[in-house]
Amino acid sequence: MARMEMSAIPASLVVPSEASAQAYYELGLMYAAGRGIPVDLVTAQKWFNVAQARGCSRAAAHRQELALEMTRDQAAQALREARSFLTRH
């Protein structure tokens, strides 16, 4: 039987759409810090946006801090991705 490593699956596919705001916040931290995956500021910002929209107040501070390290285009892309995710889930 084939064995699949969970680390090979993108986190966005592992977390169910009905996950808590805290879970999305943790995803943001994971991508921002590169915990087990390469650092991806756009994806981190996306998950912080989703977490904040779902009620995680701590995500707002991380969003603002991360935005200082991103270009305008990157921040806009993260916002588009978060909106797309929220409209589908």
Side-chain angles (χ1 to χ4, degrees):
M1 175 183 280
R3 182 173 168 199
M4 184 165 53
E5 293 294 324
M6 290 302 291
S7 62
I9 300 173
S12 59
L13 298 178
V14 175
V15 176
S17 60
E18 67 274 1
S20 70
Q22 181 65 30
Y24 295 116
Y25 172 73
E26 292 293 331
L27 269 175
L29 291 176
M30 187 176 82
Y31 278 98
R35 281 194 250 149
I37 54 169
V39 171
D40 184 338
L41 299 183
V42 172
T43 303
Q45 185 78 328
K46 168 191 167 180
W47 291 124
F48 288 143
N49 285 328
V50 170
Q52 184 179 9
R54 295 275 169 98
C56 180
S57 58
R58 295 187 315 175
H62 287 280
R63 266 187 57 225
Q64 291 174 336
E65 185 178 318
L66 201 57
L68 298 174
E69 299 178 36
M70 300 170 69
T71 67
R72 232 178 224 196
D73 288 341
Q74 288 175 315
Q77 179 185 350
L79 188 56
R80 281 191 305 273
E81 290 180 15
R83 285 181 180 158
S84 175
F85 179 84
L86 288 167
T87 57
R88 289 178 299 160
H89 301 92

